[in-house]
Amino acid sequence: MEKGDELGRVTLADIAREAEVSVSTVSKVLNGRTDVSASTRGRVERVLREHDYQRAARNGGEAPLIEIVFHELDSLWAMELLRGVENVANEHGAAVVVAHSGSRHAPGPGWIDAVLRRRPLGVVLVFSSLPPELKRQLRARSIPFVVIDPAGNPDPDVPSVGSANWAGGLAATRHLIDLGHRRIGIVTGPEDTLCSLARLDGYRSAMSMAGLEVDPELISFGDFHAEGGLARAKRLLELPDRPTAIFAGSDLQALGVMEAARVCGLRVPEELSVVGYDDLDIAQWTSPALTTVRQPLREMAEQATRLILALRSGEIGAAPTRLELSTTLVVRSSTVGPGPR
């Protein structure tokens, strides 16, 4: 390794010599080529990792692409995030690549090879975490990445953009309490996502500050989708002492709650008040118009894309950055004081 040590930086030739492969094979691994055997790829990746090898960023050779990766595309909030990435990409003359992979926690294992071949300017990931191996591979190719976390909080070594979930849950519940509600149910998101737990903690804090008991029967974990909101709200509304208001952890779940009220013969808001979360475009067109907590999804995506471009250009260092945008209560027609029960 005399050459690498003398220059203070490990070269491709050094990596190839230690991994007992050709320089072209190392290059293929760095570029995500598929014509390398799994055992050879693993050996090269191990040597790259041991030397913390990072390819120097090129100024003109990358494809003018920004990639956004979702675990699901069939939701309105995904479209809001996509619009935000597109807004900033268009300002900088870049195109947007949309990838669909994995679960809400991390991309699937097959995604990394494709992104390494594309070598975009950077990657926006809509996941709650990123496996260590994927982080190492992206950093080795000097591909900056930022996580948007509407579904959780990423690892501390990952640049990320999120929103104030606890404050949003607090504001939604306080609004209902201020209207006079005391039996307040909540249909939050999945139990294994931190944003769901943060919104639930905000709900509990608001109830506690108002001196109100939190009834475990009124707490339900959903899936952020309308069908889940419908099923869980029906269970709440069939309780002998049903809630007079329900805080839903997403606007889509709130639509399900409103449908559950209709099925149970209850009028919204006269007999059941409903608060959503996200403030998607559809919220203002429901009947009645939905009171909700605005999560600035489009702005979150814009900030994430700007952060990627700043990392790419060297305007900011490689140290992890966490941006948290504020949430706002938007009062419409789906909430009033408690009516007859």
Side-chain angles (χ1 to χ4, degrees), residues 54-59 62-69 85 97 107 111-112 115-116 118-126 130 134-148 157-160 303-321:
Q54 292 194 6
R55 166 179 278 179
R58 300 183 313 223
N59 290 325
E62 307 91 344
L65 303 173
I66 295 173
E67 184 154 337
I68 180 168
V69 193
V85 173
V97 173
W111 165 76
I112 189 67
V115 75
L116 294 182
R118 285 189 288 270
R119 291 204 67 201
L121 298 175
V123 182
V124 176
L125 297 133
V126 189
L130 195 61
L134 297 190
K135 288 187 278 191
R136 282 193 291 266
Q137 291 186 65
L138 290 170
R139 286 169 177 155
R141 278 67 166 191
S142 295
I143 300 175
F145 56 90
V146 175
V147 166
I148 297 178
D157 66 335
V158 174
S160 63
Q303 290 289 354
T305 310
R306 291 191 180 100
L307 183 54
I308 278 175
L309 294 172
L311 288 166
R312 163 61 67 186
S313 67
E315 289 179 28
I316 60 176
T321 300

Side-chain angles (χ1 to χ4, degrees), residues 50 57 79 81 87 109 112-114 132 150 154 175 178 181 183-185 206 223 226 259 281 283 307 312 326 329 339:
E50 287 174 354
M79 295 303 101
L81 293 173
N87 288 346
I112 189 67
D113 288 339
H175 169 66
D178 290 345
H181 293 279
R183 292 282 292 172
I184 301 172
D223 58 5
E259 175 61 13
D281 286 344
L307 183 54
R312 163 61 67 186
S326 62
L329 180 69

Side-chain angles (χ1 to χ4, degrees), residues 1 26 39 64 80 92-93 117 154 241 259 270 317 322 324-325:
M1 283 292 213
V26 177
S39 60
E80 284 295 298
H92 293 267
R117 288 195 299 272
D241 188 12
E259 175 61 13
E270 292 85 355
R322 167 72 179 178
E324 186 165 277
L325 305 188

Side-chain angles (χ1 to χ4, degrees), residues 42-106:
R43 191 163 70 251
V44 173
E45 290 284 4
R46 178 182 57 77
V47 177
L48 289 168
R49 185 164 59 249
E50 287 174 354
H51 293 284
D52 194 25
Y53 180 88
Q54 292 194 6
R55 166 179 278 179
R58 300 183 313 223
N59 290 325
E62 307 91 344
L65 303 173
I66 295 173
E67 184 154 337
I68 180 168
V69 193
F70 296 96
H71 72 275
E72 63 176 357
L73 288 170
D74 57 343
S75 66
L76 295 174
W77 63 259
M79 295 303 101
E80 284 295 298
L81 293 173
L82 179 56
R83 290 188 186 104
V85 173
E86 287 178 331
N87 288 346
V88 177
N90 289 340
E91 292 173 4
H92 293 267
V96 177
V97 173
V98 179
H100 180 210
S101 177
S103 68
R104 64 176 174 266
H105 296 293

